[in-house]
Amino acid sequence: MSKDKSSIFSPAVSFKNLFKKPETIKVPEENKKTAKRYRGFHINDLDKCIGCGTCSKICDNKAIKMVELENVKTELGQRNERPKIDYGRCCWCGLCVDICTTGSLQFTQDYTYINHDAESFSYIPDNKNINKIESAIGYERDQDSELLDLYRIEMQELDAESRVQSFMEIVKGFSKKQAEKEASRCVECDICTEACPASMNIPEYIRGIYDEDLEESLKQIYEDNPLPEVCGRICTHNCESICSISHRGEAVSIRWLKRYAVDNVDLAEYNKILGTEKIHQVDKKVAIIGAGPAGLSAAHYLKLMGYQITVFEAESKAGGMMRYGIPEYRLPYDKLDKDINYIKNLGVEFKFNIRIGKDISLSDIKKEYDAVFAATGLHNGRSTRIPGTENNNVYQAIYLLKQITKGEEIPLTKKIVVIGGGNVAMDIARSLARLQKKKYGQVNVLVTSLETEDIMPADQEEIEEAREEGVDFEPGRGPKEIIVSEDGSISQICTNCCVSVFDDDMNFNPTFDDQDIQNYECDMVVEAIGQAGDNSYIDDNYDIKYEGPRIKVNDKQQTSLPWLFAGGDIVRGPDVINGIKTGHNAAQGIDEFLKN
Amino acid sequence: MGKSKRTEMFFGPNHPGVPGNYGINYFYEGDTVVSAEPNPGHLHRGFEKLMEEREWIKNTPLVCRICVMEPDINEMVYAMSFEAIGEIKIPKRAAYIRSIILELARIQAHIFSIGGNCGAIGLYTAMQWGVLTRDYILDIFEEITGGRVYHIYIRPGGVRHDIEDVTLQKILDLLNDLENNRMPEFQKLIFENPIAQKRWKNTAVLNQEDALSLGVTGPALRATGLEHDVRKLMPYAAYDQVDFKVPTGEDGDAWTRLKLKKDEIFQSIKIIRQLVNNIPAGPVSLNLGNALKYKIPAGEAYVKIESSRGEYGYYVVSDGGLKPYRVHVRGTSTPLGLYGVETLLPGCRIEDVPVWAHSLGICPPEFDR
Ligand code: SF4
Ligand code: SF4
């Protein structure tokens, strides 16, 4: 047995504590001072919080319920819900703070909360703390405790030099690994769905990618969008602008993920996956005028309901603006055809090269069909009507783009000015750049727009890419006159400074400064300032109501004539996704109409 | 005394001498235990099953609750199992910080345990001192992690926050105070106290053969003379970077075990000083992506570490999904708390039953989970 020091006096060491200051503190006379990082009680900046519910999702104790609040901001991308914490369940782990997408949720440094009212332990944190006093911020998320994946997987794209050589698709698309990683960034808050004009099941199809279940993704996508190859490439992706992750990081690449999902499912599998091998047929006929996004969408959903569908199309191929407006480098034709072929395979009949109002009248169609959906789009270019626009070398972007699609040779000079600041202006400028490069070996395209670059309606990436491809920009300038030489050729375009584009009520009402004049040399001018529709086929026999320039419809796209429905750019948009939505709406509306 | 009679006694689940909500039902004759059986189940919270239902990250606040006294070991093995299956290598600084945290946890657990053992023999002053001294360490934890008892700090991929230099300095100051002021007082009050010695020496003896056959580890095994310490045998975190000794004893009694705990505190102080002085710069965590979607490949791992009471391990199976498929906890005191009660407690005097339970490090939440 070991020998150990011992003495009965040893324990007397404790007596010296009699003369020492106590090491304890007396609550509540004195409060415990907590550490800076103390996980006290939650506070939430209610203006910053978007109600995404991610905090509630990660809470390992189900201590957070999202509750509706009346007086919080509810702009797009914000829900009127805020977290309510039940301290009977909370374990103060702070996972909610670490993951909060906006950083609105934090802890205070408070150590105690005392109340005889048990209900008060379940509360909606706001900018004050649970004790309703100002309190120092305690635990906060830092870069190490971060629980979100803030940065996107970079998309591989062709470089500018190779882009401008051809009309090859620029974006290469995700690999499986990249797509799954990108999909894993989604917190499934569903806020994006509210911003999608077609209310697509976005988190669900992203989840399918993450779970390596592309069939599930395809099903989810086709619930609301029968043109996913198209939208996976050129959608305006409003969803991404309000993605929760974008508050502290970069939005999830929703559009590219959609593209990945559909690119990687074989068309031959579609019917099986989507359960459309056999469709129960209904003995009613619907005519659709226009094979653009709205017409195709309506055809798809109506066909699934069993109706006999005929689509009348003025051009020789389906797709509308998707084919004849959007250049191939953004949307390759084979991808567009994949979407269209699926719809065709469902048994939708297409009649091409038939222009309603010319080759056949609306009343003839009405005689033969039980309902009609008009989705004829905006196919006429608008002109600035400035002096000189009557010159032969002044063109409308929309017609040139169509010619390019058709493979026709278009007029092409060495110095071209494009007027306009939207995506169509970018499309034509970049197409012309490619053609110039091929023909002359160099690019000389100048884009002038009323808007300064910060408010140009074109996507920022379009502007940047155009610039990389050699397109020049002179934003913030109004076209005043196209100067024509004596020999009839264009020599310059004269512009003045555009001081403001919109008036105080945000109406389009540009003002100019004539002291600030700039001329730019050019030999061809292309106008890309917007399009107009031609609804003249709805002739005087029909008393149809308008709302401004657009046909008036109800929420099911029904016009003032019960059998006539209208959608696409002639009532909403202009863009593809709104077209798809109106087509889907119309399908439901027509179904209701035909059943009654 | 006349002919002795067998009487049944319930030691716990509510008893000041029992470490946690757990019971031992024993029969005694005279004042000696003649047979005993464990009476667990009062604390069962279904941790292992619960973990299967929660995404990987959501278990990080749960695992620590398996052991109130030393929560960090659970965080550590959980993170280690995730990293082992996922083949994730954490940054070096994170490994150092993990060891610092684990050694601070060991010190506070040992101090609390020594205090608790004193409580078991009626030396309540020491018990209060144990609580107080531990609280100073909890202050440090609060500063580093934001929590006093449950830190939720060691995570898959590293640790949750970096430790600032001022805090590292505070740790060194605290260790100095412990070494120069508080431990000498413990020494006098407890270890040079003839009554404490009398109560502990030769009490609750566990011999090496029994210890090995039951799978007992930690101070209880080392008190029988075997130098067994996972930190040395299979170094994890930053233990391969530090120099320290593994104290051992010979007698296998409560006294030896408690002395070992005291000696280990000094070793831990030595370890932490080395870690603090040599901590490398750099990141302390890997971003493993969106925590709601953590996924590791299908696979399994058994990982173990040296807790204040001995070998502590998790066996984890992943099926490649968002949640663990199975988590099995090997609590250090499982063999003693469940089986040892029946074989080793008989022969013990009634008043020594708390000494038996405390000095052998019976921690009911570890096996009653
Ligand atoms: S601190 Fe943890 S338990 Fe409490 S509300 Fe947040 S996530 Fe839930
Ligand atoms: S995660 Fe943040 S932003 Fe989202 S609801 Fe919770 S507190 Fe609000």
Side-chain angles (χ1 to χ4, degrees):
Chain A
M1 181 105 18
S2 50
K3 290 262 174 310
D4 292 285
K5 208 173 147 193
S6 93
S7 154
I8 52 165
F9 300 110
S10 288
V13 65
S14 58
F15 287 120
K16 75 176 188 202
N17 283 301
L18 285 173
F19 311 104
K20 277 212 290 198
K21 232 179 96 216
E23 291 182 76
T24 48
I25 56 160
K26 276 189 187 161
V27 178
E29 280 109 84
E30 203 183 328
N31 264 323
K32 178 182 150 40
K33 179 139 180 29
T34 52
K36 166 71 193 80
R37 196 176 269 159
Y38 189 65
R39 298 196 293 264
F41 294 91
H42 297 79
I43 51 165
N44 191 11
D45 182 338
L46 293 183
D47 287 336
K48 208 166 161 193
C49 170
I50 51 168
C52 68
T54 310
C55 48
S56 155
K57 211 168 276 165
I58 202 162
C59 177
D60 43 304
N61 293 304
K62 299 198 169 76
I64 301 183
K65 262 207 190 86
M66 297 303 292
V67 294
E68 280 187 23
L69 283 193
E70 265 170 19
N71 37 18
V72 294
K73 276 197 278 175
T74 50
E75 291 157 8
L76 197 60
Q78 284 196 328
R79 283 205 191 104
N80 64 343
E81 295 181 346
R82 296 293 180 266
K84 181 175 186 180
I85 319 247
D86 183 348
Y87 283 120
R89 290 184 145 189
C90 173
C91 74
W92 282 268
C93 63
L95 292 187
C96 49
V97 173
D98 283 351
I99 204 166
C100 172
T101 56
T102 60
S104 64
L105 198 62
Q106 293 169 319
F107 280 112
T108 65
Q109 288 179 13
D110 301 74
Y111 192 62
T112 46
Y113 170 68
I114 303 165
N115 200 312
H116 62 273
D117 176 14
E119 291 298 318
S120 75
F121 284 80
S122 198
Y123 90 121
I124 300 170
D126 55 20
N127 302 32
K128 287 226 183 73
N129 73 355
I130 191 168
N131 286 310
K132 298 291 164 230
I133 49 166
E134 297 290 331
S135 170
I137 302 285
Y139 183 90
E140 294 172 273
R141 183 203 61 254
D142 65 23
Q143 63 179 44
D144 295 308
S145 67
E146 179 64 72
L147 293 180
L148 290 177
D149 191 352
L150 294 176
Y151 302 103
R152 310 182 147 199
I153 297 282
E154 212 184 311
M155 176 51 80
Q156 297 295 305
E157 293 184 0
L158 294 183
D159 62 32
E161 193 44 41
S162 17
R163 282 200 313 252
V164 77
Q165 308 284 349
S166 76
F167 278 75
M168 207 155 91
E169 183 168 27
I170 294 171
V171 175
K172 293 188 176 165
F174 284 138
S175 68
K176 180 169 188 290
K177 211 168 140 212
Q178 288 174 321
E180 281 162 18
K181 179 84 172 79
E182 184 64 24
S184 79
R185 300 179 58 226
C186 170
V187 292
E188 299 178 19
C189 65
D190 216 9
I191 285 232
C192 47
T193 296
E194 290 156 30
C196 172
S199 310
M200 294 189 69
N201 299 339
I202 298 168
E204 288 81 359
Y205 72 70
I206 292 182
R207 183 60 189 256
I209 297 171
Y210 178 69
D211 289 340
E212 301 177 57
D213 184 356
L214 295 187
E215 299 194 357
E216 176 62 22
S217 293
L218 195 77
K219 279 188 220 162
Q220 295 290 351
I221 289 170
Y222 267 85
E223 288 279 312
D224 308 287
N225 188 338
L227 296 166
E229 288 281 9
V230 174
C231 289
R233 290 179 160 74
I234 52 94
C235 184
T236 39
H237 57 84
N238 297 351
C239 50
E240 289 180 22
S241 62
I242 50 103
C243 171
S244 292
I245 312 295
S246 69
H247 288 265
R248 295 199 286 108
E250 295 169 349
V252 174
S253 301
I254 303 173
R255 178 173 52 160
W256 299 148
L257 285 173
K258 177 163 51 238
R259 167 186 160 141
Y260 168 81
V262 281
D263 269 359
N264 288 284
V265 181
D266 200 346
L267 180 60
E269 302 290 317
Y270 274 35
N271 291 108
K272 204 172 99 221
I273 297 168
L274 299 171
T276 53
E277 283 160 308
K278 271 212 181 74
I279 299 171
H280 169 77
Q281 300 295 321
V282 177
D283 193 20
K284 291 242 163 84
K285 291 164 75 180
V286 181
I288 291 173
I289 312 175
L296 290 168
S297 166
H300 169 264
Y301 289 108
L302 283 166
K303 190 68 224 173
L304 294 188
M305 295 169 190
Y307 294 104
Q308 307 307 311
I309 311 296
T310 308
V311 182
F312 294 91
E313 168 58 47
E315 296 294 336
S316 59
K317 284 188 172 158
M321 275 302 175
M322 299 181 290
R323 184 182 303 275
Y324 296 104
I326 295 166
E328 200 183 355
Y329 60 82
R330 288 213 287 142
L331 174 59
Y333 301 129
D334 59 333
K335 298 298 174 188
L336 171 63
D337 286 337
K338 185 176 174 194
D339 283 345
I340 294 172
N341 285 340
Y342 171 64
I343 297 171
K344 258 189 200 151
N345 295 347
L346 293 176
V348 172
E349 185 193 5
F350 284 85
K351 290 195 170 164
F352 293 114
N353 301 315
I354 294 184
R355 191 174 286 280
I356 310 298
K358 191 167 146 242
D359 303 317
I360 180 173
S361 74
L362 186 60
S363 31
D364 287 341
I365 289 185
K366 182 183 180 300
K367 267 182 230 143
E368 217 181 301
Y369 293 88
D370 300 295
V372 179
F373 177 53
T376 42
L378 311 176
H379 289 273
N380 295 339
R382 281 219 182 100
S383 171
T384 55
R385 303 219 179 102
I386 56 172
T389 42
E390 64 291 339
N391 186 284
N392 280 344
N393 263 342
V394 176
Y395 300 93
Q396 301 282 316
I398 203 83
Y399 303 130
L400 293 183
L401 286 167
K402 189 182 282 187
Q403 280 178 282
I404 295 172
T405 296
K406 290 182 172 171
E408 293 168 7
E409 188 151 344
I410 63 160
L412 189 72
T413 64
K414 284 188 177 168
K415 278 188 209 152
I416 306 174
V417 164
V418 173
I419 304 173
N423 279 334
V424 176
M426 297 307 120
D427 286 344
I428 190 63
R430 298 178 69 186
S431 296
L432 291 171
R434 282 163 172 70
L435 295 169
Q436 277 183 332
K437 184 86 187 173
K438 194 165 170 216
K439 189 161 173 186
Y440 304 114
Q442 60 185 34
V443 177
N444 193 337
V445 178
L446 173 74
V447 175
T448 70
S449 61
L450 294 181
E451 301 89 357
T452 44
E453 195 165 329
D454 50 327
I455 55 163
M456 260 164 82
D459 292 345
Q460 191 55 37
E461 60 196 44
E462 284 284 322
I463 300 172
E464 276 159 26
E465 286 174 1
R467 197 170 268 140
E468 285 167 15
E469 290 161 10
V471 174
D472 288 326
F473 285 84
E474 286 293 347
R477 305 218 57 92
K480 209 171 144 59
E481 185 187 349
I482 295 167
I483 302 171
V484 181
S485 320
E486 280 175 10
D487 65 358
S489 64
I490 296 175
S491 64
Q492 283 181 330
I493 181 163
C494 169
T495 66
N496 51 8
C497 172
C498 178
V499 181
S500 65
V501 183
F502 300 101
D503 62 19
D504 291 345
D505 299 329
M506 286 316 282
N507 291 321
F508 180 74
N509 190 7
T511 54
F512 301 97
D513 175 6
D514 266 333
Q515 302 303 312
D516 179 352
I517 299 283
Q518 288 281 347
N519 288 2
Y520 304 106
E521 274 184 31
C522 60
D523 41 22
M524 171 173 161
V525 173
V526 180
E527 294 177 301
I529 59 155
Q531 296 96 253
D534 174 8
N535 298 339
S536 58
Y537 59 92
I538 308 176
D539 51 51
D540 296 344
N541 297 335
Y542 302 110
D543 177 24
I544 191 154
K545 298 222 158 42
Y546 278 83
E547 220 167 26
R550 295 181 152 169
I551 295 175
K552 191 177 172 196
V553 291
N554 66 12
D555 62 341
K556 288 280 182 272
Q557 311 304 130
Q558 196 169 26
T559 66
S560 45
L561 306 171
W563 53 273
L564 181 64
F565 294 72
D569 291 351
I570 56 173
V571 301
R572 226 207 262 182
D575 65 7
V576 172
I577 192 71
N578 274 295
I580 290 170
K581 177 64 183 170
T582 54
H584 197 173
N585 276 348
Q588 290 163 350
I590 291 170
D591 185 45
E592 277 167 31
F593 168 70
L594 293 180
K595 278 191 176 139
N596 289 329
Chain B
M1 236 202 270
K3 200 168 157 250
S4 61
K5 193 168 130 238
R6 279 170 71 101
T7 312
E8 187 171 15
M9 172 85 101
F10 292 97
F11 177 64
N14 287 314
H15 185 285
V18 80
N21 297 343
Y22 155 81
I24 295 176
N25 298 354
Y26 61 82
F27 287 92
Y28 64 94
E29 281 179 25
D31 51 12
T32 305
V33 176
V34 291
S35 73
E37 61 177 34
N39 178 20
H42 310 280
L43 204 53
H44 184 79
R45 289 161 290 175
F47 280 114
E48 293 182 354
K49 229 21 197 184
L50 264 176
M51 278 150 95
E52 295 167 9
E53 296 302 320
R54 298 150 70 106
E55 284 85 356
W56 290 100
I57 190 76
K58 292 191 189 176
N59 286 323
T60 57
L62 180 68
V63 288
C64 47
R65 288 172 166 81
I66 294 179
C67 176
V68 190
M69 287 323 309
E70 207 182 355
D72 313 85
I73 53 170
N74 281 285
E75 297 182 9
M76 181 66 185
V77 274
Y78 184 69
M80 278 169 74
S81 60
F82 185 92
E83 290 153 7
I85 301 173
E87 293 182 14
I88 295 162
K89 209 169 154 0
I90 63 158
K92 211 157 171 217
R93 187 175 171 89
Y96 271 67
I97 293 180
R98 284 181 174 185
S99 277
I100 293 174
I101 294 289
L102 292 170
E103 289 313 302
L104 284 172
R106 185 183 321 278
I107 295 175
Q108 61 87 31
H110 275 347
I111 284 177
F112 204 69
S113 159
I114 292 171
N117 274 281
C118 291
I121 58 166
L123 184 50
Y124 289 121
T125 307
M127 196 175 81
Q128 306 295 358
W129 285 12
V131 174
L132 174 75
T133 309
R134 172 177 177 254
D135 255 68
Y136 285 107
I137 301 175
L138 299 192
D139 283 346
I140 295 283
F141 278 132
E142 182 182 323
E143 190 160 319
I144 299 173
T145 72
R148 295 183 68 77
V149 177
Y150 296 124
H151 309 137
I152 316 170
Y153 177 72
I154 297 176
R155 258 185 193 174
V159 295
R160 196 166 170 183
H161 309 279
D162 203 350
I163 306 185
E164 288 179 28
D165 287 348
V166 285
T167 312
L168 289 175
Q169 188 52 48
K170 277 189 194 167
I171 296 175
L172 294 179
D173 295 346
L174 179 98
L175 297 182
N176 287 341
D177 179 49
L178 208 57
E179 193 176 48
N180 300 325
N181 304 322
R182 296 188 188 265
M183 289 310 289
E185 291 187 4
F186 278 116
Q187 175 67 23
K188 287 225 161 342
L189 178 67
I190 305 167
F191 294 96
E192 291 177 17
N193 183 333
I195 302 168
Q197 290 187 4
K198 209 166 165 20
R199 285 296 307 276
W200 286 332
K201 282 189 177 174
N202 239 338
T203 308
V205 177
L206 172 69
N207 66 41
Q208 200 173 88
E209 198 189 338
D210 285 343
L212 287 175
S213 70
L214 267 172
V216 173
T217 53
L221 178 61
R222 291 193 288 268
T224 71
L226 199 69
E227 199 187 298
H228 182 281
D229 187 318
V230 184
R231 290 174 297 175
K232 285 273 189 208
L233 300 172
M234 293 175 70
Y236 49 94
Y239 289 110
D240 55 353
Q241 306 289 317
V242 286
D243 172 40
F244 67 103
K245 282 201 182 59
V246 179
T248 55
E250 281 168 14
D251 301 335
D253 56 0
W255 169 248
T256 312
R257 292 194 283 271
L258 287 165
K259 269 201 315 181
L260 287 189
K261 291 199 180 200
K262 179 194 69 181
D263 293 345
E264 284 181 16
I265 290 175
F266 288 106
Q267 290 301 318
S268 295
I269 291 174
K270 194 174 154 194
I271 294 173
I272 298 174
R273 281 190 183 134
Q274 294 173 60
L275 292 167
V276 169
N277 291 328
N278 298 317
I279 189 165
V284 300
S285 66
L286 299 174
N287 187 336
L288 299 178
N290 172 6
L292 290 165
K293 303 271 173 71
Y294 283 177
K295 228 192 227 178
I296 45 174
E300 57 179 51
Y302 177 69
V303 293
K304 59 181 179 180
I305 64 166
E306 187 69 30
S307 79
S308 69
R309 296 176 304 283
E311 181 179 320
Y312 200 94
Y314 274 19
Y315 169 63
V316 177
V317 183
S318 158
D319 63 0
L322 290 170
K323 301 165 183 174
Y325 177 77
R326 175 78 171 102
V327 180
H328 177 74
V329 180
R330 186 221 190 260
T332 306
S333 52
T334 309
L336 281 168
L338 294 181
Y339 320 113
V341 168
E342 290 179 6
T343 53
L344 299 174
L345 196 55
C348 191
R349 290 166 58 96
I350 293 177
E351 74 271 24
D352 288 337
V353 173
V355 174
W356 189 92
H358 275 281
S359 72
L360 284 168
I362 306 296
C363 175
E366 280 180 356
F367 51 83
D368 195 357
R369 30 168 210 278

